[in-house]
Amino acid sequence: MNLYYELLKEPVFSLQDIYKYYTHPEAARSALKKLLKQGIVVRIRKNMYTCISGETESPVANRYQIACALHPTAYISHHTAMEYYGVCDQIFYDVYVSSQKPFKAFEFDGYTYLYVASKCQSGIEEVRYSGGVRITNKERTVIDSIKDMDKISGIEEVLANIAAISSLNDTLMLQYLAEYKKQFLYQKTGFLLYPFREQMNLGNQFFEECRKKIGMSRRYLTNETSSGKFNREWNLVVPDSIFQLKNGGADYD
């Protein structure tokens, strides 16, 4: 048996995965140490490893597979999900991971893995033939990106991502909004998506439901806004710069 070739079958593995190839645990630990010393296996973090490809001399596991191997409930979300869907126009080196179990941020192979807490457990899909990638669907990803835009991507990047998305399921969107139970999120979502309603196939009922939830609260759309224009329909003060989008074309009047 060639242990390296056996381990190549899994993008990410642990010491426990190696035990099945040996009668005694000490033999498994010794074999792992040998592979690490040879440089054909590399440690990602505590008890997480991946092989080094003989062809590319790079880790076999990609950042999405590593993120989803952090815990059985882990999945990529927010900007990282947008990257996976090919929506973003640039590569970021922060990998956003949601999970039922928090973890400390760590770096590996040039990427920083960051935990993002979430109270919503819906809208998570496992990608077939991906080596274990779990991801929020596009509807959930849009909602999450809007909800946390002041913490993660910023309004400009969120708007650019939204502008590149087509055909969202409004029933699912309302489901995720209801799970978060945040009045402000209804306001932000309704305002930001309304200009894209035709390309996203979002019906009038979706926006009517959002309007019903906003109440009388007046808020700033983003923490980046210290002044701007007041939008009466959504009770939001929005930055003037929003009218000159990164990808242009949307009308917020």
Side-chain angles (χ1 to χ4, degrees):
M1 177 199 69
N2 187 310
L3 180 60
Y4 171 75
Y5 288 112
E6 292 297 326
L7 296 175
L8 277 174
K9 298 175 183 178
E10 296 293 335
V12 180
F13 56 88
S14 67
L15 178 58
Q16 286 69 31
D17 294 317
I18 301 177
Y19 284 162
K20 64 185 178 183
Y21 298 108
Y22 294 88
T23 304
H24 301 292
E26 185 56 40
R29 290 192 288 269
S30 177
L32 175 59
K33 288 179 182 179
K34 182 178 180 180
L35 295 177
L36 288 167
K37 187 175 182 179
Q38 291 175 337
I40 55 178
V41 165
V42 63
R43 180 181 182 271
I44 299 171
R45 69 194 298 259
K46 184 178 180 180
N47 202 26
M48 280 184 64
Y49 306 90
T50 187
C51 290
I52 296 297
S53 169
E55 297 179 0
T56 65
E57 298 184 352
S58 299
V60 169
N62 60 44
R63 60 189 183 278
Y64 309 116
Q65 293 167 331
I66 291 171
C68 296
L70 289 169
H71 189 264
T73 64
Y75 55 94
I76 55 174
S77 60
H78 296 77
H79 189 91
T80 305
M82 292 288 191
E83 285 187 73
Y84 192 90
Y85 287 126
V87 170
C88 302
D89 57 5
Q90 57 183 311
I91 295 176
F92 287 76
Y93 293 93
D94 288 335
V95 181
Y96 295 99
V97 190
S98 294
S99 169
Q100 292 180 18
K101 181 180 180 180
F103 63 87
K104 292 183 179 179
F106 68 95
E107 295 184 11
F108 175 73
D109 197 35
Y111 292 96
T112 301
Y113 293 79
L114 301 167
Y115 172 74
V116 184
S118 177
K119 295 181 179 180
C120 180
Q121 300 304 320
S122 302
I124 304 164
E125 301 177 350
E126 183 156 356
V127 183
R128 295 179 66 185
Y129 312 119
S130 65
V133 174
R134 291 178 297 278
I135 185 173
T136 50
N137 61 27
K138 288 187 179 180
E139 288 80 5
R140 166 82 187 275
T141 303
V142 168
I143 296 296
D144 284 349
S145 297
I146 293 173
K147 179 175 71 72
D148 296 322
M149 66 183 181
D150 283 330
K151 300 177 182 178
I152 297 180
S153 297
I155 188 170
E156 183 179 6
E157 193 62 37
V158 168
L159 286 172
N161 293 341
I162 288 173
I165 292 176
S166 61
S167 189
L168 294 175
N169 184 310
D170 48 13
T171 300
L172 290 177
M173 299 283 281
L174 289 173
Q175 175 187 332
Y176 306 144
L177 285 168
E179 288 193 43
Y180 279 123
K181 299 179 182 179
K182 292 181 179 291
Q183 175 184 325
F184 187 28
L185 184 54
Y186 281 100
Q187 284 178 276
K188 291 192 293 184
T189 301
F191 173 77
L192 291 174
L193 297 189
Y194 189 75
F196 304 97
R197 59 194 180 279
E198 292 185 4
Q199 81 173 48
M200 292 182 171
N201 294 318
L202 294 174
N204 290 331
Q205 184 178 357
F206 172 79
F207 295 99
E208 286 300 319
E209 290 298 319
C210 288
R211 291 186 187 96
K212 290 178 183 178
K213 303 292 185 179
I214 65 176
M216 300 301 292
S217 298
R218 296 186 179 186
R219 302 174 184 267
Y220 288 98
L221 175 65
T222 169
N223 292 340
E224 299 174 14
T225 307
S226 57
S227 62
K229 182 176 180 180
F230 179 64
N231 182 282
R232 293 183 180 277
E233 181 179 8
W234 297 101
N235 274 358
L236 288 171
V237 178
V238 301
D240 293 329
S241 60
I242 201 170
F243 299 100
Q244 293 84 41
L245 292 181
K246 184 175 181 179
N247 286 349
D251 183 7
Y252 284 94
D253 288 328

